Amino acid sequence: MTLTSLTIAEARKGLTEKQFSARELTDAHVRAMEALNPRLNALITPTPEAAMAAAEAADRKLANGGGGPLTGIPLAIKDLFCTAGVRTTAGSKILGNFVPPYESTVTENLLRDGAVFLGKANLDEFAMGSSNMTSAYGPVENPWKRAGGSNAVLVPGGSSGGSAAAVAAQFAMGSTGTDTGGSIRQPAAFCGIVGLKPTYGRCSRWGIVAFASSLDQAGPFARTVRDCALMLGSMAGFDPKDSTSVDVPVPDYVAACGRGVKGLRIGVPREYRADGMSAEIERLWEQGLAWLRDGGAEIVDVSLPHTKYGLATYYIVAPAEASSNLARYDGVRFGVREEGEDLIELYERTRAAGFGAEVQRRILIGTYVLSAGYYDAYYLRAQKVRRLILEDFRQAFQQVDALLTPTTPTAAFAQGEKMDDPVAMYLNDIFTVPASMAGVPAMSVPAGLDAQGLPLGLQVIGRHFDEETVLAVGQALEDAAGFTALPSVRAGAV
Ligand code: GLN
């Protein structure tokens, strides 16, 4: 067993038992990162020196019997989290020179608990996308390959594609992501790892570059459910600096993983049987339900009747909020500036040069649906439908404790596919968006491989602030699935 293939839980044990030092652990990951990142492009800004210094500080703490739950654990940080003194680009040219003077609350929490940061992970520009193809810093390669020697380069999913690829390729033990409509769950599914989007308000949004403020939520990626639980325990918590952060205690998420599913009622939303769902996704879903039934859960059919409006409302609400949030990038206060004859020209040139095509499309859609005359027809109506989607979940959770669905309608696709059809790209989010609209927690767990040898994920959705049940169900799936397949591009394998 090499250091890069350990889980976080195993690494913690090894560190406290002095089987290896934090320095050795980080050094192994830094070397793997240096070997793999030029190919995968998972990190925009690697910070190997800072990582080694942090590892040495971790060793000093460990030597004194101190340290927190993540002391010496090397993580990648999505480049949407502001990190003090470390460039934070949001995947955009417009923030190419932005070095925040402050630390986001979530990364501050991870640092407090001893984590070592390897660098800033690539993402779709301003977290808009499902493929990582919209990053101004180039696409990320998925470490998985189709079986049979195919050399098609696959996408890692998005928007947190770099975070997922770094963990799948085993050069980070875990990473942070953000999920607005699926950006943690979909890349986790595409890369064969675990990704958890907590309840809206569970992790502070303070210091995270905003995309759609009523939907954005930070969460962890790791290779096991327990490792995600451990990271969430560190990331979560009330933050007075975020007015939507909720003041509820942070429970012991790791303990929750061991609860089992005996006696739980698991709902199967019939509306998720989308037309044209592939037979293998259907089979995987049935298999997942069978595993939970074997573990003692009761499977119940439920209805979420407004699911069919999820995607349409999301693609009104999210661009509307984005168009407002992105108004601040005007070349005046921070970020890149293109000079102009007058102020208006400076704005126009800066925004034309600084934003990529997808971001411009979202700003246009968002501005349109918020404009006088269309506001009632689109934005207001979308908000009303959003409430109905939330009510669907409330109703369902009166009958069941959690829901099980597929995470994505397909496995990872090749770079370049779906690029000429934004709607085909948006369809990736069909199973993830409803939980985002309702603000409920949801997790993707790798559950099997498709006919091409690519990972597929199952999604567990829970009640507001009931990440514990989501984790318990996720752990049961992980135990039953015994998913041990590994991507061909990973530390020690190339
Ligand atoms: N793929 C979705 C979008 O493009 C979700 C992105 C996200 O969750 N940040 O908006």
Side-chain angles (χ1 to χ4, degrees), residues 407-436:
T407 308
T408 56
T410 65
F413 47 91
Q415 281 186 358
E417 274 172 35
K418 309 191 195 212
M419 291 306 287
D420 48 358
D421 182 356
V423 175
M425 192 65 91
Y426 297 169
L427 277 169
N428 270 289
D429 307 328
I430 189 153
F431 299 137
T432 50
V433 148
S436 300

Side-chain angles (χ1 to χ4, degrees), residues 69-100:
L70 291 167
T71 296
I73 302 298
L75 304 177
I77 303 300
K78 185 178 187 179
D79 204 16
L80 200 64
F81 292 81
C82 288
T83 40
V86 179
R87 181 170 79 133
T88 300
T89 69
S92 183
K93 250 196 270 179
I94 212 161
L95 286 176
N97 61 1
F98 177 54
V99 179

Side-chain angles (χ1 to χ4, degrees), residues 78 127-130 158-159 178-183 211 314-315 362 429:
K78 185 178 187 179
M128 297 173 190
S130 306
S159 64
T178 63
D179 191 312
T180 304
S183 280
F211 164 12
Y314 172 82
Y315 277 100
R362 306 275 180 122
D429 307 328

Side-chain angles (χ1 to χ4, degrees), residues 24 39 52-53 59 62 71 83 89 168 171 227 236 283-284 306 331 335-337 346 353 388 426 438 460 482:
E24 288 166 320
R39 167 171 179 178
M52 291 312 298
D59 276 330
L62 291 163
T71 296
T83 40
T89 69
F171 66 75
D227 284 1
R283 229 177 298 124
L284 181 83
H306 297 91
V336 169
R337 171 184 303 177
L346 179 148
L388 296 175
Y426 297 169
V460 184

Side-chain angles (χ1 to χ4, degrees), residues 44 79 88-93 122-126 134-137:
I44 294 174
D79 204 16
T88 300
T89 69
S92 183
K93 250 196 270 179
N122 207 340
L123 69 157
D124 282 300
E125 186 176 4
F126 284 105
T134 74
S135 170
Y137 301 88

Side-chain angles (χ1 to χ4, degrees), residues 9-22 24 62-63:
E10 288 163 348
R12 290 182 73 206
K13 188 158 176 284
L15 286 169
T16 40
E17 291 173 358
K18 308 255 182 293
Q19 292 166 21
F20 45 82
S21 65
E24 288 166 320
L62 291 163

